[in-house]
């Protein structure tokens, strides 16, 4: 892991700060269309949602914010994909 990857992966989130948002808010936050949203998820450039029940999906706000920061600071698509993979893997560590 290089210095850039270490910096991208250094984000820690406290359990009390976890916030799930629904797709309309995620789309507003990212400023993209539904189709572009799903393309980016399928390409690994955005983390997939979390099932909240039948026909209901939520997205971790901190994960989307981390991706926005990575894109805004000029990270490559491969670096963003690495970040997304890391964020999704970290979901397993949320319980401690």
């Amino acid at each position: 892991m290089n210095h850039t990857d270490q910096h991208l992966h250094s984000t820690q989130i406290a359990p009390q700060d976890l916030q799930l948002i629904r797709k309309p808010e995620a789309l507003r936050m990212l400023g993209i269309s539904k189709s572009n949203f799903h393309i980016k998820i399928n390409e690994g450039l955005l983390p997939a949602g979390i099932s909240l029940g039948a026909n209901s999906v939520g997205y971790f706000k901190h994960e989307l914010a981390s991706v926005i920061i990575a894109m805004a600071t000029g990270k490559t698509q491969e670096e963003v994909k690495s970040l997304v993979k890391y964020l999704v893997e970290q979901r397993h560590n949320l319980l401690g």
Side-chain angles (χ1 to χ4, degrees):
M1 186 181 308
N2 65 34
H3 176 70
T4 302
D5 288 339
Q6 289 172 347
H7 180 67
L8 281 174
H9 296 169
S10 65
T11 304
Q12 296 292 325
I13 186 84
Q16 68 271 16
D17 294 329
L18 291 175
Q19 183 179 4
L20 285 172
I21 59 174
R22 300 296 298 275
K23 188 188 298 182
E25 186 176 348
L27 293 172
R28 280 191 301 275
M29 186 175 173
L30 294 162
I32 59 176
S33 67
K34 282 188 208 178
S35 60
N36 196 8
F37 183 71
H38 289 288
I39 289 168
K40 287 187 179 296
I41 289 172
N42 291 336
E43 291 177 346
L45 294 169
L46 285 175
I50 296 164
S51 176
L52 302 175
N55 304 319
S56 185
V57 176
Y59 301 88
F60 279 122
K61 191 172 186 177
H62 75 277
E63 291 179 353
L64 298 178
S66 294
V67 171
I68 290 168
I69 291 167
M71 290 187 297
T73 56
K75 303 304 179 208
T76 67
Q77 284 195 344
E78 289 308 311
E79 289 172 319
V80 174
K81 285 180 184 182
S82 175
L83 172 62
V84 169
K85 183 177 178 184
Y86 172 80
L87 291 168
V88 172
E89 288 170 355
Q90 289 308 299
R91 291 176 182 177
H92 299 288
N93 299 328
L94 292 174
L95 291 176

